[in-house]
Amino acid sequence: MSRIGKAPIVLPENVTMTVSDTNVVTVTGPKGTLSQQITGNISVCLEEQDNKKVIILKANDELKETNAKHGLYRALIANLVTGVSAGFSKSITINGVGYKCAVQGNKLVLNIGFSHPVNVDIPNGLTVTCPSITEIVVSGIDKVQVGQWAADVKAIKKVEPYHGYGIYYTNEHVRRKEIKKTSSGKK
């Protein structure tokens, strides 16, 4: 039995959960509504423990595939609950001489050393802000969408290892290489 799958998910007071006949879990909260299709031999139920509503996932057999999906779907449903109640965000930093970013309408405009500005479309469901000209904050209710869009922006200009120029997550450690040294004028 999956140790992650056995852990209960505490439902905040302002969040509701429903399970349809086709095993689609729908979670609704103050920030929006998200849903997840459950496949395999796993059942989802809503119980009350210690005066709190809790989501419990149960594996109906002991197959290896069911155990793997048990933990997976528990994590995905926990992400749904967190997303509709608190939301997710990623912070990206741009480093380089003359590098800057700005949000114009539904596009992120990046000036990152190319001969032209790079325009990146902001998908529906995401909020992108630039608190400074070298910082981007991506936020939304879907953890996968926030993370994927942030990774796509980061992939536009990979970090150069000698000076650290490029796009990286704010909490990411950028490995730097030592610059080659020249000889001391010997002939």
Side-chain angles (χ1 to χ4, degrees), residues 49-89:
Q49 296 177 355
D50 301 329
N51 296 327
K52 294 180 182 176
K53 290 184 179 179
V54 195
I55 301 172
I56 305 287
L57 276 78
K58 295 177 183 170
N60 297 331
D61 59 33
E62 291 296 322
L63 296 175
K64 187 174 182 180
E65 182 181 336
T66 304
N67 280 340
K69 287 183 178 181
H70 189 203
L72 168 74
Y73 286 126
R74 190 263 176 213
L76 290 176
I77 292 173
N79 287 342
L80 297 182
V81 171
T82 304
V84 298
S85 60
F88 295 100
S89 69

PDB file of all heavy atoms in Angstrom, residues 49-89:
ATOM      1  N   GLN A  49     -13.179  13.831  10.124  1.00  0.00           N
ATOM      2  CA  GLN A  49     -12.321  13.375  11.218  1.00  0.00           C
ATOM      3  C   GLN A  49     -11.953  14.587  12.067  1.00  0.00           C
ATOM      4  O   GLN A  49     -11.464  15.584  11.550  1.00  0.00           O
ATOM      5  CB  GLN A  49     -11.036  12.734  10.672  1.00  0.00           C
ATOM      6  CG  GLN A  49     -11.248  11.488   9.877  1.00  0.00           C
ATOM      7  CD  GLN A  49      -9.938  10.953   9.320  1.00  0.00           C
ATOM      8  OE1 GLN A  49      -8.893  11.565   9.449  1.00  0.00           O
ATOM      9  NE2 GLN A  49     -10.008   9.784   8.698  1.00  0.00           N
ATOM     10  N   ASP A  50     -12.162  14.490  13.369  1.00  0.00           N
ATOM     11  CA  ASP A  50     -11.823  15.575  14.305  1.00  0.00           C
ATOM     12  C   ASP A  50     -12.448  16.904  13.882  1.00  0.00           C
ATOM     13  O   ASP A  50     -11.795  17.943  13.878  1.00  0.00           O
ATOM     14  CB  ASP A  50     -10.311  15.732  14.435  1.00  0.00           C
ATOM     15  CG  ASP A  50      -9.640  14.473  14.932  1.00  0.00           C
ATOM     16  OD1 ASP A  50     -10.286  13.738  15.702  1.00  0.00           O
ATOM     17  OD2 ASP A  50      -8.469  14.219  14.558  1.00  0.00           O
ATOM     18  N   ASN A  51     -13.727  16.875  13.504  1.00  0.00           N
ATOM     19  CA  ASN A  51     -14.485  18.055  13.085  1.00  0.00           C
ATOM     20  C   ASN A  51     -13.897  18.735  11.847  1.00  0.00           C
ATOM     21  O   ASN A  51     -14.071  19.936  11.643  1.00  0.00           O
ATOM     22  CB  ASN A  51     -14.604  19.070  14.237  1.00  0.00           C
ATOM     23  CG  ASN A  51     -15.398  18.507  15.387  1.00  0.00           C
ATOM     24  OD1 ASN A  51     -16.324  17.726  15.180  1.00  0.00           O
ATOM     25  ND2 ASN A  51     -15.044  18.882  16.600  1.00  0.00           N
ATOM     26  N   LYS A  52     -13.162  17.996  11.021  1.00  0.00           N
ATOM     27  CA  LYS A  52     -12.619  18.518   9.769  1.00  0.00           C
ATOM     28  C   LYS A  52     -13.029  17.587   8.645  1.00  0.00           C
ATOM     29  O   LYS A  52     -13.081  16.374   8.818  1.00  0.00           O
ATOM     30  CB  LYS A  52     -11.084  18.591   9.816  1.00  0.00           C
ATOM     31  CG  LYS A  52     -10.550  19.584  10.807  1.00  0.00           C
ATOM     32  CD  LYS A  52      -9.035  19.575  10.769  1.00  0.00           C
ATOM     33  CE  LYS A  52      -8.471  20.529  11.799  1.00  0.00           C
ATOM     34  NZ  LYS A  52      -7.018  20.473  11.845  1.00  0.00           N
ATOM     35  N   LYS A  53     -13.303  18.173   7.478  1.00  0.00           N
ATOM     36  CA  LYS A  53     -13.592  17.357   6.304  1.00  0.00           C
ATOM     37  C   LYS A  53     -12.265  16.899   5.710  1.00  0.00           C
ATOM     38  O   LYS A  53     -11.337  17.687   5.548  1.00  0.00           O
ATOM     39  CB  LYS A  53     -14.385  18.150   5.278  1.00  0.00           C
ATOM     40  CG  LYS A  53     -15.800  18.437   5.716  1.00  0.00           C
ATOM     41  CD  LYS A  53     -16.571  19.141   4.634  1.00  0.00           C
ATOM     42  CE  LYS A  53     -17.990  19.406   5.088  1.00  0.00           C
ATOM     43  NZ  LYS A  53     -18.756  20.113   4.076  1.00  0.00           N
ATOM     44  N   VAL A  54     -12.202  15.596   5.377  1.00  0.00           N
ATOM     45  CA  VAL A  54     -10.960  14.999   4.891  1.00  0.00           C
ATOM     46  C   VAL A  54     -11.261  14.160   3.652  1.00  0.00           C
ATOM     47  O   VAL A  54     -12.270  13.455   3.607  1.00  0.00           O
ATOM     48  CB  VAL A  54     -10.325  14.092   5.967  1.00  0.00           C
ATOM     49  CG1 VAL A  54      -8.899  13.769   5.619  1.00  0.00           C
ATOM     50  CG2 VAL A  54     -10.383  14.711   7.332  1.00  0.00           C
ATOM     51  N   ILE A  55     -10.389  14.239   2.666  1.00  0.00           N
ATOM     52  CA  ILE A  55     -10.503  13.394   1.471  1.00  0.00           C
ATOM     53  C   ILE A  55      -9.619  12.173   1.691  1.00  0.00           C
ATOM     54  O   ILE A  55      -8.439  12.297   2.014  1.00  0.00           O
ATOM     55  CB  ILE A  55     -10.057  14.149   0.207  1.00  0.00           C
ATOM     56  CG1 ILE A  55     -10.906  15.401  -0.001  1.00  0.00           C
ATOM     57  CG2 ILE A  55     -10.117  13.233  -1.010  1.00  0.00           C
ATOM     58  CD1 ILE A  55     -10.417  16.300  -1.114  1.00  0.00           C
ATOM     59  N   ILE A  56     -10.194  10.988   1.504  1.00  0.00           N
ATOM     60  CA  ILE A  56      -9.472   9.728   1.673  1.00  0.00           C
ATOM     61  C   ILE A  56      -9.484   8.989   0.339  1.00  0.00           C
ATOM     62  O   ILE A  56     -10.544   8.839  -0.279  1.00  0.00           O
ATOM     63  CB  ILE A  56     -10.128   8.843   2.756  1.00  0.00           C
ATOM     64  CG1 ILE A  56     -10.253   9.581   4.082  1.00  0.00           C
ATOM     65  CG2 ILE A  56      -9.394   7.535   2.915  1.00  0.00           C
ATOM     66  CD1 ILE A  56      -8.969   9.774   4.814  1.00  0.00           C
ATOM     67  N   LEU A  57      -8.319   8.511  -0.094  1.00  0.00           N
ATOM     68  CA  LEU A  57      -8.223   7.673  -1.283  1.00  0.00           C
ATOM     69  C   LEU A  57      -7.939   6.251  -0.843  1.00  0.00           C
ATOM     70  O   LEU A  57      -7.080   6.032   0.015  1.00  0.00           O
ATOM     71  CB  LEU A  57      -7.101   8.162  -2.209  1.00  0.00           C
ATOM     72  CG  LEU A  57      -7.467   9.298  -3.161  1.00  0.00           C
ATOM     73  CD1 LEU A  57      -7.482  10.618  -2.442  1.00  0.00           C
ATOM     74  CD2 LEU A  57      -6.498   9.318  -4.301  1.00  0.00           C
ATOM     75  N   LYS A  58      -8.655   5.297  -1.431  1.00  0.00           N
ATOM     76  CA  LYS A  58      -8.477   3.891  -1.065  1.00  0.00           C
ATOM     77  C   LYS A  58      -8.178   3.077  -2.310  1.00  0.00           C
ATOM     78  O   LYS A  58      -8.884   3.189  -3.317  1.00  0.00           O
ATOM     79  CB  LYS A  58      -9.739   3.349  -0.386  1.00  0.00           C
ATOM     80  CG  LYS A  58     -10.021   4.006   0.941  1.00  0.00           C
ATOM     81  CD  LYS A  58     -11.296   3.508   1.557  1.00  0.00           C
ATOM     82  CE  LYS A  58     -11.556   4.273   2.848  1.00  0.00           C
ATOM     83  NZ  LYS A  58     -12.876   4.033   3.382  1.00  0.00           N
ATOM     84  N   ALA A  59      -7.131   2.254  -2.216  1.00  0.00           N
ATOM     85  CA  ALA A  59      -6.822   1.322  -3.299  1.00  0.00           C
ATOM     86  C   ALA A  59      -7.666   0.074  -3.088  1.00  0.00           C
ATOM     87  O   ALA A  59      -7.690  -0.490  -1.996  1.00  0.00           O
ATOM     88  CB  ALA A  59      -5.340   0.983  -3.285  1.00  0.00           C
ATOM     89  N   ASN A  60      -8.352  -0.360  -4.127  1.00  0.00           N
ATOM     90  CA  ASN A  60      -9.260  -1.497  -3.999  1.00  0.00           C
ATOM     91  C   ASN A  60      -8.585  -2.838  -4.248  1.00  0.00           C
ATOM     92  O   ASN A  60      -9.230  -3.871  -4.140  1.00  0.00           O
ATOM     93  CB  ASN A  60     -10.454  -1.317  -4.938  1.00  0.00           C
ATOM     94  CG  ASN A  60     -11.261  -0.088  -4.556  1.00  0.00           C
ATOM     95  OD1 ASN A  60     -11.302   0.315  -3.403  1.00  0.00           O
ATOM     96  ND2 ASN A  60     -11.879   0.527  -5.537  1.00  0.00           N
ATOM     97  N   ASP A  61      -7.311  -2.850  -4.604  1.00  0.00           N
ATOM     98  CA  ASP A  61      -6.548  -4.092  -4.740  1.00  0.00           C
ATOM     99  C   ASP A  61      -5.085  -3.804  -4.405  1.00  0.00           C
ATOM    100  O   ASP A  61      -4.734  -2.675  -4.086  1.00  0.00           O
ATOM    101  CB  ASP A  61      -6.703  -4.718  -6.132  1.00  0.00           C
ATOM    102  CG  ASP A  61      -6.261  -3.794  -7.252  1.00  0.00           C
ATOM    103  OD1 ASP A  61      -5.327  -3.001  -7.064  1.00  0.00           O
ATOM    104  OD2 ASP A  61      -6.853  -3.877  -8.345  1.00  0.00           O
ATOM    105  N   GLU A  62      -4.233  -4.806  -4.457  1.00  0.00           N
ATOM    106  CA  GLU A  62      -2.831  -4.663  -4.059  1.00  0.00           C
ATOM    107  C   GLU A  62      -1.865  -4.765  -5.241  1.00  0.00           C
ATOM    108  O   GLU A  62      -0.703  -5.115  -5.058  1.00  0.00           O
ATOM    109  CB  GLU A  62      -2.477  -5.731  -3.016  1.00  0.00           C
ATOM    110  CG  GLU A  62      -3.141  -5.521  -1.672  1.00  0.00           C
ATOM    111  CD  GLU A  62      -2.691  -4.233  -0.991  1.00  0.00           C
ATOM    112  OE1 GLU A  62      -1.508  -3.886  -1.085  1.00  0.00           O
ATOM    113  OE2 GLU A  62      -3.544  -3.574  -0.380  1.00  0.00           O
ATOM    114  N   LEU A  63      -2.319  -4.464  -6.445  1.00  0.00           N
ATOM    115  CA  LEU A  63      -1.434  -4.517  -7.604  1.00  0.00           C
ATOM    116  C   LEU A  63      -0.417  -3.383  -7.557  1.00  0.00           C
ATOM    117  O   LEU A  63      -0.676  -2.318  -6.988  1.00  0.00           O
ATOM    118  CB  LEU A  63      -2.243  -4.426  -8.895  1.00  0.00           C
ATOM    119  CG  LEU A  63      -3.216  -5.566  -9.183  1.00  0.00           C
ATOM    120  CD1 LEU A  63      -4.036  -5.268 -10.423  1.00  0.00           C
ATOM    121  CD2 LEU A  63      -2.460  -6.871  -9.336  1.00  0.00           C
ATOM    122  N   LYS A  64       0.751  -3.603  -8.162  1.00  0.00           N
ATOM    123  CA  LYS A  64       1.817  -2.600  -8.175  1.00  0.00           C
ATOM    124  C   LYS A  64       1.359  -1.325  -8.886  1.00  0.00           C
ATOM    125  O   LYS A  64       1.641  -0.217  -8.441  1.00  0.00           O
ATOM    126  CB  LYS A  64       3.049  -3.192  -8.865  1.00  0.00           C
ATOM    127  CG  LYS A  64       4.264  -2.335  -8.794  1.00  0.00           C
ATOM    128  CD  LYS A  64       5.464  -3.065  -9.385  1.00  0.00           C
ATOM    129  CE  LYS A  64       6.703  -2.219  -9.258  1.00  0.00           C
ATOM    130  NZ  LYS A  64       7.880  -2.873  -9.801  1.00  0.00           N
ATOM    131  N   GLU A  65       0.640  -1.481  -9.993  1.00  0.00           N
ATOM    132  CA  GLU A  65       0.154  -0.328 -10.748  1.00  0.00           C
ATOM    133  C   GLU A  65      -0.851   0.487  -9.934  1.00  0.00           C
ATOM    134  O   GLU A  65      -0.840   1.716  -9.955  1.00  0.00           O
ATOM    135  CB  GLU A  65      -0.492  -0.810 -12.050  1.00  0.00           C
ATOM    136  CG  GLU A  65      -0.993   0.303 -12.932  1.00  0.00           C
ATOM    137  CD  GLU A  65      -1.651  -0.210 -14.197  1.00  0.00           C
ATOM    138  OE1 GLU A  65      -1.347  -1.338 -14.618  1.00  0.00           O
ATOM    139  OE2 GLU A  65      -2.481   0.520 -14.744  1.00  0.00           O
ATOM    140  N   THR A  66      -1.699  -0.190  -9.190  1.00  0.00           N
ATOM    141  CA  THR A  66      -2.681   0.500  -8.352  1.00  0.00           C
ATOM    142  C   THR A  66      -1.994   1.264  -7.231  1.00  0.00           C
ATOM    143  O   THR A  66      -2.382   2.388  -6.913  1.00  0.00           O
ATOM    144  CB  THR A  66      -3.699  -0.502  -7.773  1.00  0.00           C
ATOM    145  OG1 THR A  66      -4.293  -1.216  -8.846  1.00  0.00           O
ATOM    146  CG2 THR A  66      -4.776   0.200  -6.983  1.00  0.00           C
ATOM    147  N   ASN A  67      -0.959   0.672  -6.621  1.00  0.00           N
ATOM    148  CA  ASN A  67      -0.212   1.371  -5.573  1.00  0.00           C
ATOM    149  C   ASN A  67       0.448   2.634  -6.111  1.00  0.00           C
ATOM    150  O   ASN A  67       0.467   3.671  -5.450  1.00  0.00           O
ATOM    151  CB  ASN A  67       0.841   0.453  -4.958  1.00  0.00           C
ATOM    152  CG  ASN A  67       0.259  -0.499  -3.953  1.00  0.00           C
ATOM    153  OD1 ASN A  67      -0.824  -0.269  -3.435  1.00  0.00           O
ATOM    154  ND2 ASN A  67       0.964  -1.587  -3.695  1.00  0.00           N
ATOM    155  N   ALA A  68       1.004   2.552  -7.322  1.00  0.00           N
ATOM    156  CA  ALA A  68       1.644   3.726  -7.916  1.00  0.00           C
ATOM    157  C   ALA A  68       0.617   4.827  -8.180  1.00  0.00           C
ATOM    158  O   ALA A  68       0.856   6.002  -7.875  1.00  0.00           O
ATOM    159  CB  ALA A  68       2.351   3.339  -9.205  1.00  0.00           C
ATOM    160  N   LYS A  69      -0.532   4.452  -8.728  1.00  0.00           N
ATOM    161  CA  LYS A  69      -1.573   5.442  -9.004  1.00  0.00           C
ATOM    162  C   LYS A  69      -2.194   5.979  -7.725  1.00  0.00           C
ATOM    163  O   LYS A  69      -2.652   7.126  -7.689  1.00  0.00           O
ATOM    164  CB  LYS A  69      -2.649   4.831  -9.902  1.00  0.00           C
ATOM    165  CG  LYS A  69      -2.195   4.641 -11.318  1.00  0.00           C
ATOM    166  CD  LYS A  69      -3.311   4.113 -12.181  1.00  0.00           C
ATOM    167  CE  LYS A  69      -2.857   3.969 -13.612  1.00  0.00           C
ATOM    168  NZ  LYS A  69      -3.938   3.477 -14.467  1.00  0.00           N
ATOM    169  N   HIS A  70      -2.195   5.184  -6.675  1.00  0.00           N
ATOM    170  CA  HIS A  70      -2.754   5.612  -5.389  1.00  0.00           C
ATOM    171  C   HIS A  70      -2.014   6.862  -4.888  1.00  0.00           C
ATOM    172  O   HIS A  70      -2.629   7.876  -4.545  1.00  0.00           O
ATOM    173  CB  HIS A  70      -2.650   4.459  -4.396  1.00  0.00           C
ATOM    174  CG  HIS A  70      -3.373   4.679  -3.112  1.00  0.00           C
ATOM    175  ND1 HIS A  70      -3.031   4.014  -1.967  1.00  0.00           N
ATOM    176  CD2 HIS A  70      -4.408   5.479  -2.771  1.00  0.00           C
ATOM    177  CE1 HIS A  70      -3.828   4.390  -0.988  1.00  0.00           C
ATOM    178  NE2 HIS A  70      -4.670   5.276  -1.455  1.00  0.00           N
ATOM    179  N   GLY A  71      -0.696   6.793  -4.861  1.00  0.00           N
ATOM    180  CA  GLY A  71       0.098   7.937  -4.416  1.00  0.00           C
ATOM    181  C   GLY A  71       0.031   9.100  -5.387  1.00  0.00           C
ATOM    182  O   GLY A  71      -0.018  10.267  -4.987  1.00  0.00           O
ATOM    183  N   LEU A  72       0.013   8.799  -6.688  1.00  0.00           N
ATOM    184  CA  LEU A  72      -0.055   9.843  -7.710  1.00  0.00           C
ATOM    185  C   LEU A  72      -1.334  10.657  -7.578  1.00  0.00           C
ATOM    186  O   LEU A  72      -1.303  11.894  -7.516  1.00  0.00           O
ATOM    187  CB  LEU A  72       0.019   9.218  -9.106  1.00  0.00           C
ATOM    188  CG  LEU A  72      -0.325  10.152 -10.266  1.00  0.00           C
ATOM    189  CD1 LEU A  72       0.813  11.128 -10.495  1.00  0.00           C
ATOM    190  CD2 LEU A  72      -0.624   9.364 -11.511  1.00  0.00           C
ATOM    191  N   TYR A  73      -2.478   9.973  -7.518  1.00  0.00           N
ATOM    192  CA  TYR A  73      -3.746  10.692  -7.473  1.00  0.00           C
ATOM    193  C   TYR A  73      -3.951  11.421  -6.149  1.00  0.00           C
ATOM    194  O   TYR A  73      -4.589  12.466  -6.113  1.00  0.00           O
ATOM    195  CB  TYR A  73      -4.918   9.751  -7.775  1.00  0.00           C
ATOM    196  CG  TYR A  73      -4.976   9.391  -9.240  1.00  0.00           C
ATOM    197  CD1 TYR A  73      -5.002   8.069  -9.649  1.00  0.00           C
ATOM    198  CD2 TYR A  73      -4.980  10.375 -10.210  1.00  0.00           C
ATOM    199  CE1 TYR A  73      -5.040   7.742 -10.988  1.00  0.00           C
ATOM    200  CE2 TYR A  73      -5.017  10.056 -11.549  1.00  0.00           C
ATOM    201  CZ  TYR A  73      -5.046   8.741 -11.936  1.00  0.00           C
ATOM    202  OH  TYR A  73      -5.077   8.434 -13.270  1.00  0.00           O
ATOM    203  N   ARG A  74      -3.387  10.891  -5.076  1.00  0.00           N
ATOM    204  CA  ARG A  74      -3.460  11.618  -3.802  1.00  0.00           C
ATOM    205  C   ARG A  74      -2.708  12.937  -3.923  1.00  0.00           C
ATOM    206  O   ARG A  74      -3.177  13.989  -3.500  1.00  0.00           O
ATOM    207  CB  ARG A  74      -2.871  10.764  -2.681  1.00  0.00           C
ATOM    208  CG  ARG A  74      -3.113  11.342  -1.289  1.00  0.00           C
ATOM    209  CD  ARG A  74      -1.908  12.124  -0.839  1.00  0.00           C
ATOM    210  NE  ARG A  74      -2.163  12.759   0.443  1.00  0.00           N
ATOM    211  CZ  ARG A  74      -1.638  13.921   0.766  1.00  0.00           C
ATOM    212  NH1 ARG A  74      -0.899  14.588  -0.061  1.00  0.00           N
ATOM    213  NH2 ARG A  74      -1.886  14.432   1.944  1.00  0.00           N
ATOM    214  N   ALA A  75      -1.514  12.925  -4.543  1.00  0.00           N
ATOM    215  CA  ALA A  75      -0.728  14.149  -4.721  1.00  0.00           C
ATOM    216  C   ALA A  75      -1.430  15.121  -5.669  1.00  0.00           C
ATOM    217  O   ALA A  75      -1.450  16.336  -5.418  1.00  0.00           O
ATOM    218  CB  ALA A  75       0.664  13.805  -5.245  1.00  0.00           C
ATOM    219  N   LEU A  76      -2.015  14.614  -6.740  1.00  0.00           N
ATOM    220  CA  LEU A  76      -2.708  15.492  -7.692  1.00  0.00           C
ATOM    221  C   LEU A  76      -3.938  16.150  -7.061  1.00  0.00           C
ATOM    222  O   LEU A  76      -4.192  17.342  -7.273  1.00  0.00           O
ATOM    223  CB  LEU A  76      -3.116  14.698  -8.936  1.00  0.00           C
ATOM    224  CG  LEU A  76      -1.974  14.248  -9.849  1.00  0.00           C
ATOM    225  CD1 LEU A  76      -2.511  13.382 -10.982  1.00  0.00           C
ATOM    226  CD2 LEU A  76      -1.206  15.421 -10.395  1.00  0.00           C
ATOM    227  N   ILE A  77      -4.690  15.394  -6.263  1.00  0.00           N
ATOM    228  CA  ILE A  77      -5.866  15.974  -5.605  1.00  0.00           C
ATOM    229  C   ILE A  77      -5.439  16.981  -4.537  1.00  0.00           C
ATOM    230  O   ILE A  77      -6.076  18.016  -4.364  1.00  0.00           O
ATOM    231  CB  ILE A  77      -6.771  14.865  -5.037  1.00  0.00           C
ATOM    232  CG1 ILE A  77      -7.388  14.072  -6.198  1.00  0.00           C
ATOM    233  CG2 ILE A  77      -7.878  15.435  -4.157  1.00  0.00           C
ATOM    234  CD1 ILE A  77      -8.157  12.850  -5.783  1.00  0.00           C
ATOM    235  N   ALA A  78      -4.352  16.702  -3.835  1.00  0.00           N
ATOM    236  CA  ALA A  78      -3.838  17.673  -2.864  1.00  0.00           C
ATOM    237  C   ALA A  78      -3.425  18.965  -3.567  1.00  0.00           C
ATOM    238  O   ALA A  78      -3.638  20.070  -3.039  1.00  0.00           O
ATOM    239  CB  ALA A  78      -2.658  17.078  -2.097  1.00  0.00           C
ATOM    240  N   ASN A  79      -2.849  18.867  -4.765  1.00  0.00           N
ATOM    241  CA  ASN A  79      -2.496  20.061  -5.540  1.00  0.00           C
ATOM    242  C   ASN A  79      -3.745  20.820  -5.982  1.00  0.00           C
ATOM    243  O   ASN A  79      -3.728  22.059  -6.031  1.00  0.00           O
ATOM    244  CB  ASN A  79      -1.661  19.686  -6.759  1.00  0.00           C
ATOM    245  CG  ASN A  79      -0.249  19.299  -6.394  1.00  0.00           C
ATOM    246  OD1 ASN A  79       0.236  19.614  -5.309  1.00  0.00           O
ATOM    247  ND2 ASN A  79       0.408  18.598  -7.295  1.00  0.00           N
ATOM    248  N   LEU A  80      -4.822  20.106  -6.303  1.00  0.00           N
ATOM    249  CA  LEU A  80      -6.074  20.776  -6.660  1.00  0.00           C
ATOM    250  C   LEU A  80      -6.603  21.585  -5.482  1.00  0.00           C
ATOM    251  O   LEU A  80      -7.015  22.734  -5.629  1.00  0.00           O
ATOM    252  CB  LEU A  80      -7.132  19.755  -7.094  1.00  0.00           C
ATOM    253  CG  LEU A  80      -6.887  18.906  -8.334  1.00  0.00           C
ATOM    254  CD1 LEU A  80      -8.090  18.014  -8.598  1.00  0.00           C
ATOM    255  CD2 LEU A  80      -6.579  19.740  -9.538  1.00  0.00           C
ATOM    256  N   VAL A  81      -6.577  20.975  -4.297  1.00  0.00           N
ATOM    257  CA  VAL A  81      -7.086  21.649  -3.094  1.00  0.00           C
ATOM    258  C   VAL A  81      -6.247  22.888  -2.777  1.00  0.00           C
ATOM    259  O   VAL A  81      -6.771  23.958  -2.487  1.00  0.00           O
ATOM    260  CB  VAL A  81      -7.120  20.669  -1.900  1.00  0.00           C
ATOM    261  CG1 VAL A  81      -7.422  21.392  -0.607  1.00  0.00           C
ATOM    262  CG2 VAL A  81      -8.139  19.569  -2.147  1.00  0.00           C
ATOM    263  N   THR A  82      -4.935  22.750  -2.853  1.00  0.00           N
ATOM    264  CA  THR A  82      -4.053  23.898  -2.596  1.00  0.00           C
ATOM    265  C   THR A  82      -4.253  24.980  -3.652  1.00  0.00           C
ATOM    266  O   THR A  82      -4.253  26.171  -3.335  1.00  0.00           O
ATOM    267  CB  THR A  82      -2.578  23.449  -2.585  1.00  0.00           C
ATOM    268  OG1 THR A  82      -2.423  22.414  -1.621  1.00  0.00           O
ATOM    269  CG2 THR A  82      -1.660  24.595  -2.242  1.00  0.00           C
ATOM    270  N   GLY A  83      -4.425  24.591  -4.898  1.00  0.00           N
ATOM    271  CA  GLY A  83      -4.585  25.560  -5.979  1.00  0.00           C
ATOM    272  C   GLY A  83      -5.832  26.400  -5.853  1.00  0.00           C
ATOM    273  O   GLY A  83      -5.786  27.615  -6.031  1.00  0.00           O
ATOM    274  N   VAL A  84      -6.979  25.781  -5.538  1.00  0.00           N
ATOM    275  CA  VAL A  84      -8.227  26.545  -5.459  1.00  0.00           C
ATOM    276  C   VAL A  84      -8.340  27.330  -4.156  1.00  0.00           C
ATOM    277  O   VAL A  84      -9.146  28.244  -4.062  1.00  0.00           O
ATOM    278  CB  VAL A  84      -9.472  25.661  -5.654  1.00  0.00           C
ATOM    279  CG1 VAL A  84      -9.468  25.029  -7.027  1.00  0.00           C
ATOM    280  CG2 VAL A  84      -9.613  24.631  -4.564  1.00  0.00           C
ATOM    281  N   SER A  85      -7.523  26.997  -3.151  1.00  0.00           N
ATOM    282  CA  SER A  85      -7.597  27.739  -1.894  1.00  0.00           C
ATOM    283  C   SER A  85      -6.505  28.798  -1.788  1.00  0.00           C
ATOM    284  O   SER A  85      -6.778  29.930  -1.419  1.00  0.00           O
ATOM    285  CB  SER A  85      -7.530  26.791  -0.695  1.00  0.00           C
ATOM    286  OG  SER A  85      -6.322  26.068  -0.712  1.00  0.00           O
ATOM    287  N   ALA A  86      -5.255  28.463  -2.118  1.00  0.00           N
ATOM    288  CA  ALA A  86      -4.149  29.416  -1.965  1.00  0.00           C
ATOM    289  C   ALA A  86      -3.515  29.804  -3.296  1.00  0.00           C
ATOM    290  O   ALA A  86      -3.026  30.918  -3.457  1.00  0.00           O
ATOM    291  CB  ALA A  86      -3.077  28.825  -1.050  1.00  0.00           C
ATOM    292  N   GLY A  87      -3.470  28.896  -4.261  1.00  0.00           N
ATOM    293  CA  GLY A  87      -2.831  29.176  -5.546  1.00  0.00           C
ATOM    294  C   GLY A  87      -1.351  28.835  -5.518  1.00  0.00           C
ATOM    295  O   GLY A  87      -0.775  28.521  -4.467  1.00  0.00           O
ATOM    296  N   PHE A  88      -0.720  28.879  -6.684  1.00  0.00           N
ATOM    297  CA  PHE A  88       0.699  28.590  -6.826  1.00  0.00           C
ATOM    298  C   PHE A  88       1.380  29.756  -7.519  1.00  0.00           C
ATOM    299  O   PHE A  88       0.760  30.481  -8.297  1.00  0.00           O
ATOM    300  CB  PHE A  88       0.913  27.326  -7.672  1.00  0.00           C
ATOM    301  CG  PHE A  88       0.389  26.080  -7.027  1.00  0.00           C
ATOM    302  CD1 PHE A  88      -0.831  25.546  -7.393  1.00  0.00           C
ATOM    303  CD2 PHE A  88       1.124  25.438  -6.044  1.00  0.00           C
ATOM    304  CE1 PHE A  88      -1.319  24.401  -6.803  1.00  0.00           C
ATOM    305  CE2 PHE A  88       0.641  24.289  -5.437  1.00  0.00           C
ATOM    306  CZ  PHE A  88      -0.582  23.775  -5.824  1.00  0.00           C
ATOM    307  N   SER A  89       2.678  29.938  -7.250  1.00  0.00           N
ATOM    308  CA  SER A  89       3.425  30.979  -7.950  1.00  0.00           C
ATOM    309  C   SER A  89       4.881  30.560  -8.104  1.00  0.00           C
ATOM    310  O   SER A  89       5.404  29.773  -7.311  1.00  0.00           O
ATOM    311  CB  SER A  89       3.335  32.315  -7.217  1.00  0.00           C
ATOM    312  OG  SER A  89       4.033  32.253  -6.006  1.00  0.00           O
TER     313      SER A  89
END
